[in-house]
Amino acid sequence: MVKNKSKRKKINKPTSKKYKFYTISGDSVKRARSCPRCGPGVFLMVAKDRAYCGKCHYTEFSGKPAPVLEKAKPVVKGKK
Ligand SMILES: [Zn+2]
């Protein structure tokens, strides 16, 4: 058997799903929450009670703070 080193099975990269974070309504584009550390273009994964950046591991809690622990200052939402 001859080893064929040069040929590799081509595997396509998964399609970027970044478009899902944009919603076009009329003339304006709505963007999902982006990471304050990484800047626009890096979106936060949104769970039911928190938002998380997969790039820098920034986590932002929304809604009720965690029941455990001492009273932490609430996360400012929609800071601008
Ligand atoms: Zn980030």
Side-chain angles (χ1 to χ4, degrees):
M1 268 178 86
V2 180
K3 281 185 183 174
N4 199 343
K5 286 180 186 174
S6 63
K7 277 204 176 177
R8 281 193 180 174
K9 200 180 179 186
K10 195 191 175 192
I11 301 165
N12 289 322
K13 286 180 181 174
T15 315
S16 171
K17 293 186 176 69
K18 220 161 225 187
Y19 67 90
K20 284 190 174 179
F21 295 108
Y22 295 92
T23 317
I24 297 165
S25 57
D27 291 335
S28 59
V29 179
K30 280 183 181 178
R31 291 166 192 86
R33 295 273 298 109
S34 58
C35 181
R37 263 195 235 169
C38 299
V42 178
F43 296 99
L44 299 174
M45 177 218 81
V46 179
K48 67 175 179 181
D49 60 344
R50 74 204 144 84
Y52 173 75
C53 174
K55 199 174 178 182
C56 70
H57 309 291
Y58 169 84
T59 313
E60 192 173 84
F61 293 92
S62 58
K64 297 173 203 166
V68 215
L69 298 169
E70 59 197 289
K71 279 186 182 175
K73 54 180 178 180
V75 177
V76 181
K77 210 178 172 188
K79 189 178 84 176
K80 201 172 185 186

